[in-house]
Amino acid sequence: MALLADGVSRLLIDGKLTSGGAGGFATVNPATEEVLGEAANADTADMDRAIGAARRAFDETGWSTNTELRVRCVRQLRDAMREHVEELRDLTIADVGAPRMLTAGAQLEGPINDLSFAADTAENYEWTQDLGLASPMGIPTRRSVVREAVGVVGAITPWNFPHQINLAKLGPALAAGNTVVLKPAPDTPWVAAVLGELIAEHTDIPPGVVNIVTSTDHALGAMLAKDPRVDLVSFTGSTATGRSVMADAAATIKKVFLELGGKSAFLVLDDADLAAACSVAGFSVCLHAGQGCAITTRLVVPRARYDEAVAIAAGTMGSIKPGDPSKPGTICGPVISARQRDRVQSYLDLAITEGGEFACGGGRPADQPAGFFIEPTVISGLTNEARVAREEIFGPVLTVIPHDGDDDAVRIANDSPYGLSGTVYGADPERAAGVAARLRAGTVNVNGGVWYSADMPFGGYKQSGNGREMGIAGFEEYLEIKAIATAAN
Ligand code: NAD
């Protein structure tokens, strides 16, 4: 049967697909502003039931100790998503405004495939490590270290790469033996709702193990952070909200895992191929209209070649026309909402107030009367002190900043409250690697290398978060460590 066949989405609570206590809310296609259908709007009572169900499923069933069942269920979810991948693709384009070409990678198929890594890791993991016999304090003791699930995970996610972020939490959390309450962003409720439908109808995941609670009420996320029945909050979103989640979690000392914002730098060294580097930098900022936390939005170039660099970046970005994400050739679709479009526009206005200039773009495209589109924009004439160079804009906007050599380039890259990502381009690979090593960022690309992969950890330094998603490190975020000492005589 088709997913969301009646155009209405439901919550998943305790194994049942149910309507929301607060009724429904419209799901809007950001490329057309058309209403796609209705999403279930949960209230606090729904969230309370979801947390209760997750708690019971963890405490009263064998889920956390039955690795074989968990591995099977995670693979079933992967297979169900693969079976429905074309429907999911259309739905993702409509709900998220994600360009079709990105659904072959991080917007859909990548994260579905990455579920294999979570299942394989659980299957092969060394759950118990034998440290052997020793006599600490003179007492003969057999020692082992056991890794086990943390418990109930509250997963809170944003709208920009919703499948990727939902699954990068759900996959390892479930494979590791946790139960989960997922609170997705209200901007992309359908992506989360289809996950609930597939779990309920196509997997053996027991009732209560996964609960999916869509809502326009952000306070439901705060409930997860505060509730003593939740053991860990895994949050992806803005740094401001991350701060609030951390504060709310403090009362119960629960584990908090945060993937937050970024303002990453793309460093072009003076021996680099300037044309290639600046074109790549411009192109990457247009992907999904710049709505990626790890996109490098500060292009830092040799001062002597500043004007040339601005012209190359503007040539690339000026030629990329934002448009219909359902078309195969589109790389820059809309931003998610009118609110987000107005926020990006306010930063473009600020750039002018701060003394910057637009080398291309600077507003809304005249040929797109409907939809939340922004022109790819290159800002020149500002230093790293400008607010548009320091704050996350989350649109197709690149600020070009001059540097005076490698040390200065590193200084500028690291002069940020964030530390999520970075790129270095240079002709001498050793020199470029040396510069990359000095970046205070969780992921670094040298000369076009790709760090996005199921077995590579992803996360930020400084105010870009703490903890790591994906890779073995991402799996272990969802585990506790128990040291067991048994007297040997
Ligand atoms: P957001 O912080 O506004 O919201 C994220 C989620 O938190 C949503 O589900 C929202 O409902 C919920 N929420 C809001 N207030 C809350 C509160 N007080 N307590 C608990 N939950 C609350 O972020 P957004 O606008 O949806 O997404 C964009 C942001 O996400 C950007 O800053 C981007 O950099 C960041 N992001 C980070 C990563 C990463 O891995 N580092 C990945 C993608 C997006």
Side-chain angles (χ1 to χ4, degrees), residues 272-294:
D273 177 341
L274 192 78
C278 296
S279 306
V280 169
F283 179 84
S284 353
V285 174
C286 296
L287 289 171
H288 194 30
Q291 302 169 107
C293 51

Side-chain angles (χ1 to χ4, degrees), residues 328-386:
T330 300
I331 70 158
C332 183
V335 295
I336 191 71
S337 60
R339 184 171 148 265
Q340 184 63 17
R341 180 197 56 205
D342 296 347
R343 185 173 174 274
V344 175
Q345 183 63 59
S346 74
Y347 273 107
L348 297 180
D349 298 344
L350 176 66
I352 299 302
T353 312
E354 290 190 300
E357 285 176 23
F358 299 137
C360 69
R364 294 165 63 168
D367 61 347
Q368 299 286 354
F372 310 126
F373 293 95
I374 289 275
E375 291 174 314
T377 302
V378 173
I379 300 170
S380 65
L382 294 178
T383 68
N384 200 50
E385 306 307 313

Side-chain angles (χ1 to χ4, degrees), residues 157-159 183 218 221-222 235-238 241 259-261 293 392 458:
T157 58
W159 41 261
K183 212 293 297 160
H218 296 304
F235 173 82
T236 300
S238 63
T241 310
E259 296 286 357
L260 308 177
C293 51
E392 188 178 47
F458 174 78

Side-chain angles (χ1 to χ4, degrees), residues 124-367:
N124 301 315
Y125 197 69
E126 190 181 9
W127 294 96
T128 301
Q129 200 188 352
D130 187 357
L131 294 192
L133 190 64
S135 292
M137 299 179 206
I139 299 171
T141 304
R142 279 195 192 290
R143 292 124 5 103
S144 58
V145 178
V146 172
R147 308 297 299 257
E148 58 187 11
V150 175
V152 175
V153 172
I156 305 173
T157 58
W159 41 261
N160 59 330
F161 281 79
H163 287 296
Q164 199 282 327
I165 299 167
N166 290 343
L167 294 179
K169 297 189 187 307
L170 215 53
L174 295 179
N178 301 275
T179 59
V180 180
V181 179
L182 172 64
K183 212 293 297 160
D187 315 77
T188 50
W190 274 21
V191 163
V194 288
L195 196 58
E197 211 173 279
L198 290 170
I199 286 171
E201 293 174 358
H202 297 269
T203 76
D204 297 328
I205 294 177
V209 166
V210 180
N211 305 273
I212 300 183
V213 185
T214 53
S215 177
T216 51
D217 186 358
H218 296 304
L220 267 53
M223 272 178 81
L224 282 171
K226 289 177 187 161
D227 198 300
R229 294 170 294 176
V230 176
D231 299 292
L232 183 160
V233 182
S234 176
F235 173 82
T236 300
S238 63
T239 295
T241 310
R243 217 170 267 132
S244 162
V245 166
M246 208 170 191
D248 282 341
T252 51
I253 317 288
K254 59 173 60 83
K255 263 182 103 171
V256 179
F257 163 39
L258 302 172
E259 296 286 357
L260 308 177
K263 189 77 187 183
S264 303
F266 189 123
L267 305 187
V268 183
L269 306 186
D270 59 16
D271 64 348
D273 177 341
L274 192 78
C278 296
S279 306
V280 169
F283 179 84
S284 353
V285 174
C286 296
L287 289 171
H288 194 30
Q291 302 169 107
C293 51
I295 289 179
T296 41
T297 50
R298 292 182 291 151
L299 175 59
V300 185
V301 300
R303 189 179 297 278
R305 302 187 71 186
Y306 183 79
D307 291 345
E308 217 184 318
V310 168
I312 297 163
T316 301
M317 289 177 65
S319 70
I320 296 172
K321 300 294 169 208
D324 181 353
S326 67
K327 293 204 172 131
T330 300
I331 70 158
C332 183
V335 295
I336 191 71
S337 60
R339 184 171 148 265
Q340 184 63 17
R341 180 197 56 205
D342 296 347
R343 185 173 174 274
V344 175
Q345 183 63 59
S346 74
Y347 273 107
L348 297 180
D349 298 344
L350 176 66
I352 299 302
T353 312
E354 290 190 300
E357 285 176 23
F358 299 137
C360 69
R364 294 165 63 168
D367 61 347

Side-chain angles (χ1 to χ4, degrees), residues 101-112 161-165 452:
M101 69 165 68
L102 297 185
T103 63
Q107 278 291 14
L108 180 63
E109 292 187 56
I112 295 175
F161 281 79
H163 287 296
Q164 199 282 327
I165 299 167
Y452 175 71

